[in-house]
Amino acid sequence: MIEISQLKHLRKMLNLTQSDFAKIAKVSQSMIAKIEAGKLDPSYSNVKRITEAIDRMKHENEPTVKEIMIKKVITLDAKDKLKDAIKFLNKHGISQLPVMKNGNIAGIIYENTLLEKATEPEFAKLTAEDAMVEPPPTVSEDTKVSAVSNLLKYFSVVLVTKKGEITGIVTKADILNNLI
């Protein structure tokens, strides 16, 4: 629930008139005016309608991952050698590489996975397919940033796709950079 005394401030942040907001919240404009003037203490059901309307409006204005994703996604083919993966990581200053097989996302290689594999005697012969782990989650370009933020609590990266093609990648740093 919102602090009802903050209604005017929240409504103005959403750039809405009292009348427009009242329609969205399914209450009367005069009720909004009286609440904002401090002349009416609304019922619980009206506060709930107002709160739900504000929540809907906040999410409608929320950016999508398309607006914050890194569009240049560097990938490896499943048959590429692990030494090439290390070169890509170093060259581009990244810590993970999606692995592609027959044009599809097959997995991902993380720095720590490469460190584990580096101690194996046949390291020079190992391919991306030998070191990859399950692919990270994928979302569509119109997914809200808050949804991806929740995924990033459990995964270090989220891939963005459009019609099955990788169009971007989002990390925790991308979310944080969007906040400033």
Side-chain angles (χ1 to χ4, degrees), residues 61-180:
N61 296 325
E62 181 183 353
T64 62
V65 292
K66 185 176 183 176
E67 298 169 51
I68 68 159
M69 69 185 186
I70 302 301
K71 292 174 178 69
K72 185 178 180 193
V73 182
I74 301 156
T75 62
L76 281 177
D77 186 84
K79 298 298 178 194
D80 287 343
K81 298 289 184 192
L82 288 186
K83 62 183 177 181
D84 295 327
I86 294 170
K87 288 177 187 174
F88 280 132
L89 292 174
N90 290 331
K91 179 180 178 182
H92 298 286
I94 55 178
S95 58
Q96 63 270 324
L97 282 164
V99 178
M100 306 298 287
K101 187 173 184 178
N102 301 325
N104 296 312
I105 305 163
I108 191 162
I109 293 180
Y110 297 103
E111 284 176 320
N112 60 343
T113 310
L114 288 172
L115 285 173
E116 290 170 11
K117 294 291 184 181
T119 60
E120 293 186 15
E122 299 290 318
F123 179 77
K125 295 180 183 177
L126 295 177
T127 64
E129 192 169 32
D130 298 322
M132 70 183 185
V133 295
E134 289 293 314
T138 59
V139 298
S140 66
E141 292 180 343
D142 60 347
T143 303
K144 300 291 185 181
V145 170
S146 61
V148 173
S149 182
N150 284 329
L151 285 171
L152 289 171
K153 291 176 185 175
Y154 307 100
F155 301 93
S156 62
V157 65
V158 173
L159 296 175
V160 184
T161 60
K162 182 177 182 180
K163 297 182 181 177
E165 299 288 323
I166 297 176
T167 58
I169 191 166
V170 180
T171 65
K172 294 170 188 160
D174 300 320
I175 301 283
L176 294 173
N177 287 336
N178 186 56
L179 298 174
I180 53 174

Side-chain angles (χ1 to χ4, degrees), residues 4 7 30-42 50:
I4 203 68
L7 177 58
S30 63
M31 177 186 291
I32 299 297
K34 289 175 186 174
I35 293 169
E36 288 181 357
K39 295 181 179 178
L40 177 68
D41 189 13
I50 290 167

Side-chain angles (χ1 to χ4, degrees), residues 11 16-30 32 49-50 53 56-57:
R11 178 183 57 78
L16 293 171
T17 66
Q18 287 180 346
S19 180
D20 289 339
F21 182 75
K23 288 176 189 169
I24 293 167
K26 297 182 175 111
V27 297
S28 69
Q29 182 274 326
S30 63
I32 299 297
R49 279 190 202 125
I50 290 167
R56 279 193 312 273
M57 293 299 296

